[in-house]
Each structure stands twice: as C-alpha cells, then as structure tokens.
C-alpha cells in the first residue's frame, strides 16, 4: 500500500470552499447538548438529529467530510441507507472518532491522557469496512496554575502519533487534534506559549513515528484569550497569533489545518478563520472542523420537534455557508444577521 489514497482523501477533506462537520459527540456529550433543548437522548433522537444534519439540502457544497461517533456510523437514514453511504454518494468523506476519551493522568493532578490505543488496529479495520476513510483523536491540554506539565504534553503527543501511524497503516487519514482548552483565565500570550510547546512536541512525535505528513490533517485550537481572561484579544490579534504559531511548527507538507471551535461563538470562530484566510498565501489549506460553531444554531432551531426540522436544517446550512465564505476570507462581521 502506498500513500496515494491517503493523500487524495486528505486533499478532498480540505478542498477549496469546504470544511468538516464534527458530529462525533460521544453519548455523554450529545446528552449535554440535548439537555439544553430539553430533549431526552435516546438512540432514535440521536439518529433523527444526525439525519437532520446529513440530509440538509446543498450541505455538500460547504462540507467536505463528517466525523461520526461509533453509534452513528452504524445508523441509517429513515429510508434505510447507511449514513456513511448516503454521504459518500454526495462526495462527503465519512470519518470516525476513535479515541475513547480522556482519563485522569496518574501522578499529574488536573491533567488528562487520551485513551484508546489498545485494539485500535482492529477497530480501524472494521471502521474502514463500514466506510470510514479518515479518523479523529483528540488530546486535551488544560492551562492553569502549574499546568500543563511537560510530561502531560509529551504523553499526549506520543499517543497522538501512535494513533496517526496506526491509521495510516490501515489506509485511513488521521486527523491529529491536540486541543489547548480556552476555558481558563489565561491571556492570548499564555495560550500561544502553550500551543507552541504542544505543536512542537506533536510534530516531533509524528516524525519519530514515521507519520506521512502529506496524508494527515491537523485539528488545532486557535491561539485565543481564555474565556475568563479580563482582556479579550481582538479578532485580528487572534488571527495573527494563530498563523504565527502554526508557521513555526507545521511543515508545509501537511495539506491542511482544520480548526476546532472550542467554545467560541459561531460568529467569532467564523470571523477568526476568515481573517486568517485573508492574510495572503499560506503553506497549507486553512479550514474548519467545527462541532458547536456549526451546530448550536441548528440544535436550538430544531428544538427536538418535528416541526423544527426544516428550521434546524436552515440554521446548519447558514453556518456551513458562512464558513465556506471564511475559507477565502470573505466572511465579514454582521453577515450572519443578514444571511437566511
Ligand atoms: C473539541 O471538540 C471537537 C470540535 O468541536 P468544537 O468545534 O465544538 O470544539 C469535537 O470534534 C469533539 O472532539 C467531539 O464533539 C467529541 O467530543 P466528546 O467530548 O464527545 O469526546
């Protein structure tokens, strides 16, 4: 097996004007999202919601790939077509979250390690048969008093690289997601310092594990002020710091970088991406792999009710389209209130 398939799938995932829908909320996370609209999280409610997203008219014009959770990859549309086949026919690449979540890192209070390497090779083989052509693994780095430790950064980067190498062995494109959380009271400068250290270690580990950079996608956080920081950096500062940090660490061989939204408002996440893409020629495609920033409005408009189905699809289509504009720097503040 060569690298041609990996490279062509990775290129399709970051195609011009498009980005990735992260719909891989685990059962615990989707329950939290449904709690907000007062909806019980049953298997059928989850299937119904994912059908709303995936069957949104014209979604394939802005969405290149969808990240599924295990349960969703095994589910079907109401007319009986497996979701992965349905999307594949539209030219949307199906992907799968393969990490098993974060656990406390023993000996390092308040820090976590992402688990899921045991049996991963076999799970990837099955996911490939079910139609997945890319995978995702999320490592979480928190910023706080005395953290992150160097050890937590190295342990998480090592696991990310082991995962990425296994994916490529099974002809699956790895999305490598080291997320530096924006939950704290830290400044943009502190976020940049930590993101610098994390990306430096991640690419060192990827190199050590012989990961083929042309056949992977990076899914990082943006360099941004912590949510509780009294001095919130301006959108232009976020865009500049993020690109500066990525240029230091991400080799041009990586075809694309697809950001997580991380708790930013949909408008902020879209504007930041647009400003970065307006900065001129960059070595990689810069796109989105948003969960909340693409779905929050859709969830509220739907409200878990059949009568809200079309409104939910409209809200998802709107944010997908606005982010498609951000792919080449054409999203401007306020556009969201004019867009249908
Ligand atoms: C960071 O979360 C990822 C991107 O979503 P946002 O744009 O909302 O930040 C997302 O893919 C996340 O990894 C999945 O929703 C799975 O999360 P859980 O917590 O269910 O493992």
């Amino acid at each position: 097996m060569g690298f041609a398939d990996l490279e062509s799938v990775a290129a399709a995932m970051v195609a011009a004007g498009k980005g990735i829908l992260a719909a891989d909320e685990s059962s615990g996370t989707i329950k939290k999202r449904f709690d907000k609209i007062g909806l019980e999280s049953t298997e059928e409610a989850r299937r119904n919601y994912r059908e709303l997203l995936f069957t949104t008219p014209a979604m394939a014009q802005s969405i290149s790939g969808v990240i599924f959770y295990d349960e969703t990859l095994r589910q079907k549309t109401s007319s009986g077509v497996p979701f992965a086949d349905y999307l594949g026919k539209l030219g949307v690449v199906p992907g799968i979250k393969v990490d098993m979540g974060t656990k406390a890192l023993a000996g390092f209070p308040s820090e976590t390690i992402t688990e899921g390497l045991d049996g991963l090779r076999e799970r990837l083989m099955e996911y490939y048969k079910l139609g997945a052509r890319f995978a995702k693994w999320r490592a979480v780095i928190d910023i706080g008093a005395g953290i992150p430790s160097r050890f937590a950064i190295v342990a998480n980067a090592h696991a990310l690289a082991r995962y990425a190498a296994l994916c490529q062995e099974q002809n699956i494109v790895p999305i490598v997601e080291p997320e530096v959380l924006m939950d704290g009271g830290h400044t943009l400068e502190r976020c940049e310092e930590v993101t610098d250290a994390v990306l430096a270690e991640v690419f060192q580990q990827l190199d050590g594990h012989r990961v083929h950079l042309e056949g992977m996608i990076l899914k990082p956080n943006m360099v941004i002020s912590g949510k509780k920081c009294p001095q919130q950096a301006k959108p232009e500062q976020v865009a500049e710091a993020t690109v500066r940090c990525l240029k230091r660490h991400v080799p041009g061989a990586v075809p694309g970088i697809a950001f997580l939204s991380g708790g930013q408002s949909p408008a902020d996440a879209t504007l930041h991406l647009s400003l970065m893409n307006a900065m001129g020629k960059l070595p990689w495609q810069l796109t989105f792999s948003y969960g909340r920033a693409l779905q929050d409005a859709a969830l509220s408009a739907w409200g878990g009710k059949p009568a809200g189905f079309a409104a939910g699809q409209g809200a998802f289509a709107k944010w997908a389209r606005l982010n498609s504009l951000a792919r080449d720097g054409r999203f401007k503040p306020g556009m969201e209130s004019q867009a249908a």
Side-chain angles (χ1 to χ4, degrees):
M1 192 255 305
F3 292 125
D5 290 353
L6 292 173
E7 290 179 11
S8 68
V9 170
M13 289 164 68
V14 295
K18 296 185 187 181
I20 297 164
L21 166 66
D24 60 319
E25 298 85 0
S26 54
S27 304
T29 304
I30 197 71
K31 182 182 178 315
K32 280 190 221 149
R33 307 274 189 265
F34 282 4
D35 282 349
K36 283 195 190 156
I37 57 166
L39 178 67
E40 192 190 344
S41 180
T42 63
E43 187 177 344
E44 179 52 19
R46 295 190 291 271
R47 194 210 62 77
N48 195 18
Y49 174 57
R50 267 63 185 251
E51 175 155 11
L52 177 158
L53 296 173
F54 306 157
T55 61
T56 292
M59 67 94 85
Q61 287 172 18
S62 323
I63 301 295
S64 56
V66 172
I67 318 175
F68 291 99
Y69 183 56
D70 181 277
E71 174 187 87
T72 323
L73 189 61
R74 301 170 196 280
Q75 287 178 325
K76 298 176 177 167
T77 64
S78 41
S79 49
V81 182
F83 282 141
D85 295 354
Y86 179 87
L87 289 173
K89 288 208 178 81
L90 294 176
V92 176
V93 188
I96 178 77
K97 163 193 170 75
V98 299
D99 67 71
M100 305 291 272
T102 56
K103 300 280 153 54
L105 181 62
F108 292 81
S110 310
E111 297 196 275
T112 61
I113 182 73
T114 301
E115 294 193 342
L117 288 169
D118 288 353
L120 180 56
R121 175 179 280 124
E122 292 72 24
R123 288 196 291 129
L124 289 167
M125 287 174 185
E126 189 200 1
Y127 287 143
Y128 189 94
K129 284 191 200 138
L130 289 169
R133 292 296 175 268
F134 71 91
K136 195 208 81 169
W137 177 290
R138 172 171 170 253
V140 177
I141 303 291
D142 203 358
I143 300 180
I147 60 169
S149 64
R150 173 95 198 117
F151 186 88
I153 292 175
V154 174
N156 275 289
H158 188 266
L160 269 170
R162 277 193 64 197
Y163 139 83
L166 274 165
C167 285
Q168 292 191 335
E169 179 197 84
Q170 296 305 321
N171 218 9
I172 287 182
V173 172
I175 293 187
V176 172
E177 181 181 8
E179 177 179 13
V180 176
L181 295 178
M182 61 178 285
D183 294 342
H186 53 272
T187 59
L188 172 138
E189 288 73 20
R190 176 72 179 134
C191 179
E192 183 168 356
E193 187 177 73
V194 173
T195 306
D196 262 330
V198 169
L199 292 179
E201 189 61 35
V202 165
F203 279 95
Q204 192 162 326
Q205 293 285 349
L206 290 169
D207 182 56
H209 285 74
R210 302 182 176 172
V211 171
H212 182 65
L213 297 182
E214 291 84 347
M216 63 159 273
I217 302 293
L218 178 71
K219 176 166 173 170
N221 53 284
M222 296 182 192
V223 173
I224 194 165
S225 320
K227 274 188 212 160
K228 297 184 202 124
C229 179
Q231 276 151 355
Q232 291 291 309
K234 294 196 170 56
E236 291 74 13
Q237 292 174 304
V238 172
E240 275 164 29
T242 305
V243 168
R244 179 168 66 226
C245 185
L246 292 170
K247 277 186 175 168
R248 281 192 210 115
H249 304 289
V250 187
V254 173
I257 296 171
F259 292 103
L260 58 91
S261 56
Q264 300 178 58
S265 71
D268 283 354
T270 311
L271 178 58
H272 291 148
L273 178 63
S274 193
L275 289 170
M276 286 185 245
N277 276 313
M279 284 168 72
K281 190 147 173 49
L282 297 165
W284 351 258
Q285 293 293 317
L286 278 193
T287 188
F288 55 93
S289 174
Y290 297 156
R292 286 161 285 181
L294 283 175
Q295 294 186 51
D296 280 358
L299 260 173
S300 322
W302 173 52
K305 301 185 177 70
F309 199 85
Q313 289 195 325
F316 169 51
K318 170 179 145 176
W319 283 102
R321 221 170 34 242
L322 292 171
N323 275 284
S324 171
L325 291 177
R327 284 288 277 110
D328 52 10
R330 285 184 294 141
F331 173 81
K332 302 283 178 272
M335 271 185 177
E336 69 276 18
S337 19
Q338 293 144 24

